[in-house]
Amino acid sequence: MFKKLLIANRGEIACRVIRSARRMGIKTVAVYSEADAGALHVEMADEAVAIGPAPAAQSYLSIERIVAAAASTGAEAVHPGYGFLSENPGFAVALDKAGIVFVGPPVAAIKSMGDKIASKKLAAKAGVATVPGHLGLVKSAEDAARIARDIGYPVMIKASAGGGGKGMRIACNEAEAKEGFSSARNEAKSSFADDRIFIEKYIEQPRHIEIQILADGHGNVIHLCERECSIQRRHQKVIEEAPSPFVDTAMRDAMGAQAVALAREVDYRSAGTVEFIVDRKRKYYFLEMNTRLQVEHPVTEFVTGLDLVEQMIRIADGEKLSIAQKDVRIEGWAIEARIYAEDPSRDFLPSIGRLVHYNPPEEDDCVRIDTGVREGSEIGIHYDPMIAKLIAGGDDRQAAADRLGAALDAFRIRGVSHNIGFLAALVEHPRFREGALSTNFIAEEYPDGFDGGDLSADALVRLSAVAAAAQRRYAEHEASITGALPGHEMRVPDRFVVFIGEERCETRISPAPGGYDIEIAGADVRLESAWQIGEPILHGFLDGEALSVQIDRVGVDFRLSHRGVARLVRVVSPRTAEFTARMPVKEVPDLSRYLLSPMPGLLSSLAVVPGQEVKPGDTLAVVEAMKMENILRAERVGVVRELHAGPGDSLAVDQMIIEFE
Ligand code: ADP
């Protein structure tokens, strides 16, 4: 077995690989950019080598520097993680030349599967079902419209070199086909330096189901069943699970057999994933093969009990697979949620900043957290905005979802915007619980984004109880200080009015064993909790049922977050409540005359000039952020008065770009 392994990656996946290597008794070498000098993966590894400035092109994507780091530290093998150089055949070749083992598949397999057009041709050859479409290159917007018409709308326009949901557009008509072609091509050029585009049929209401495979260098290929990754936003996975609630044994065996056939066709070795898109009638079509470890691999590890990184390392070292297909067992259910630094209330724009607070829930047999950050870490503009992966498992799907929901409630991040509330709302969503998934789930269920979740009657009771209890603790504390003098004892109030948005709840509260009895709008509940002032999360039981609610003090208010519902809550005495009703309401300034930058980024172009009339849907400007092109469009009719920024300007969030008459 190798004695030393270099991990050519950063963040959670670097940390995750280090953990397995360490368990196997292998020494680890981390590489890091200037931005990552204090990062967790650097601290965890036995050795670390600086490889250049923050931009990935000069560090994590520099083949030369990483090969040099491996050579200078005597690492015998390199694990590439995912992203960066993991599917770069040039990297595997360079390592090979330096006599270093690439922990991944053979170069030829990376090459053929890395290209969506080439891989579809090979899949068809191996007898794998593929999405109907046109595999020739699309040369112009007119060409795109013609091909799309032949295939029949809707179509999917894709970059052959694509990945991570980039360079991909759906088109339902000719205008969209033309615009989709141009923007997909621009994105492909800037993200992959390869602007080849192809078009295929768009499968409606699809599910994304993929098969994990393992192949050794001795001709053994097995599959580790499926993962369903249909909960996506902009074609990026958000929640993944294993097994899939849509797949039965016959379908699993058939898909698994096709995945294995494709792996054999390309002489695959290592861990890999064959992705399928599945229509409503359970017909499945090959999408692409990822020749690396996937972000969502932990759910497979949970249900199979295997360590995929360990398997990859053993295979790279020449070992035979120790398990055969018949030994692969699926036990229980696992669901993974990707926690991103992004703002769900602002159309999920990436957020950057310092993790002022980072308190994940406790890990146990059913809860796993893969992360590369800790409190104080910086989420920067240079890399992927994923903060952590939270994986929860259980005996069945409901149990896993319940565990995930509870763990999300207990996951506290402050300092950057994040999607924890949104993930919690997804996991609680009745349609998610039923398993009625499709890749359109988020677009259909949250067409206007997510801003704090709906306040159900049940949530209203829970939040009111917590708010009243918290206020009562403050009152008890005050009474213990200022009311300590004999004859001046302060009476601790037992009646509060709780305001949650438009809702108003009268409460009456009295001490009970381990907490309080609370009467809320006529109903009685018991809240047991040892919560103390200043603690960020109230853990306790409401009528015997466990609950965790995050509490932030905001001035005199509380901000409560629980099961995807986040609300600013005010708790006052009945008398103050009377006065509050008479207070004037502050008017919100009208910003609709301005186009503000919704995110930090680079203004790549402006499509209008002063005096120009615009109508809803017209393109106004294009802002590039985190390697994505974001088209800002007019929301209503107007006339441009003045431009406040120009192409090439770097924009702060909310910076004014265009002013209208
Ligand atoms: P990437 O390599 O960028 O991840 P994929 O080809 O794997 O791109 O597709 C990502 C997602 O885009 C899929 O999971 C699916 O949701 C959607 N998608 C891709 N192709 C199609 C298609 N032909 N019809 C419907 N949805 C598709």
Side-chain angles (χ1 to χ4, degrees), residues 116 131 156 158 162-166 168 200-203 206 208 232 235 275 277 287-288 439:
K116 289 191 204 264
V131 184
M156 193 86 176
K158 282 187 179 180
K166 285 183 188 142
M168 202 185 303
E200 66 186 20
K201 181 84 190 150
Y202 177 73
I203 308 294
H208 174 118
Q232 305 184 342
H235 313 303
E275 299 190 329
I277 189 124
L287 260 188
E288 63 164 349
T439 62

Side-chain angles (χ1 to χ4, degrees), residues 380-394:
I381 53 163
H382 295 290
Y383 314 114
D384 186 88
M386 191 166 75
I387 304 172
K389 304 188 305 207
L390 176 60
I391 304 101

Side-chain angles (χ1 to χ4, degrees), residues 116 120 131-132 154-156 158-159 161-168 170 192 198 200-210 229-230 232 234-237 275-277 287-290 292 438-440:
K116 289 191 204 264
K120 280 183 76 166
V131 184
V155 296
M156 193 86 176
K158 282 187 179 180
K166 285 183 188 142
M168 202 185 303
I170 299 168
F192 316 112
F198 70 101
E200 66 186 20
K201 181 84 190 150
Y202 177 73
I203 308 294
E204 292 182 68
Q205 290 297 334
R207 301 173 77 121
H208 174 118
I209 299 177
E210 58 189 31
C229 317
S230 297
Q232 305 184 342
R234 290 203 192 145
H235 313 303
Q236 280 266 50
K237 297 161 187 166
E275 299 190 329
F276 293 91
I277 189 124
L287 260 188
E288 63 164 349
M289 178 169 186
N290 288 322
R292 54 166 164 85
S438 102
T439 62
N440 301 326

